Amino acid sequence: MAIIITDECINCGACEPECPNNAIYEGGIEWKYSDGTTLMGKIQSKDGKEIIADDDQEPINMDIYYIAPNKCTECIGFHDEPQCAAVCPVDCCVDDPDNIETEQDLMDKKDFLHL
């Protein structure tokens, strides 16, 4: 499953540079599939939509840091544990029960993001 940042976030930003997928954004900032990945041009999202990798996507949270679930792989293929959770001083990076994925799903997502 992807990781989420809870409302306990203190906006310290420690998590953002740790993400190997550039899936963490400051509140209110638009995100892109292409940020920190090899994705370019037209891509097909997990739900089958065609998207331009460089197009801005709506921020998921306006007030605190957030994780784009379509880019979060729980650091599978990079590290032994999610790095955002490892560095968070208030333990607000937790499993997202609304985005349950298997380890293979996460590895497939990693491969998709980093061709």
Side-chain angles (χ1 to χ4, degrees):
M1 63 182 63
I3 304 292
I4 58 169
I5 298 175
T6 66
D7 291 340
E8 287 81 29
C9 177
I10 59 173
N11 283 319
C12 70
C15 56
E16 186 179 21
E18 300 302 320
C19 182
N21 300 310
N22 285 81
I24 302 174
Y25 294 85
E26 187 174 350
I29 303 294
E30 296 172 329
W31 65 278
K32 298 177 184 179
Y33 280 90
S34 62
D35 290 340
T37 70
T38 58
L39 298 176
M40 299 182 326
K42 195 180 291 187
I43 61 169
Q44 190 167 10
S45 68
K46 203 164 103 173
D47 61 4
K49 289 186 199 172
E50 283 195 352
I51 300 168
I52 304 299
D54 286 328
D55 282 355
D56 289 332
Q57 305 296 316
E58 288 292 317
I60 294 168
N61 196 306
M62 298 305 285
D63 300 317
I64 60 172
Y65 279 81
Y66 67 89
I67 300 173
N70 293 346
K71 293 177 68 177
C72 179
T73 62
E74 290 189 36
C75 295
I76 296 289
F78 297 101
H79 304 286
D80 292 335
E81 65 181 344
Q83 296 301 286
C84 56
V87 301
C88 181
V90 293
D91 296 325
C92 67
C93 297
V94 298
D95 290 341
D96 181 356
D98 293 331
N99 285 299
I100 298 172
E101 298 170 293
T102 66
E103 188 169 330
Q104 186 60 54
D105 292 337
L106 294 168
M107 184 59 84
D108 291 345
K109 189 188 306 183
K110 181 243 182 217
D111 292 342
F112 169 72
L113 295 169
H114 303 281
L115 300 173

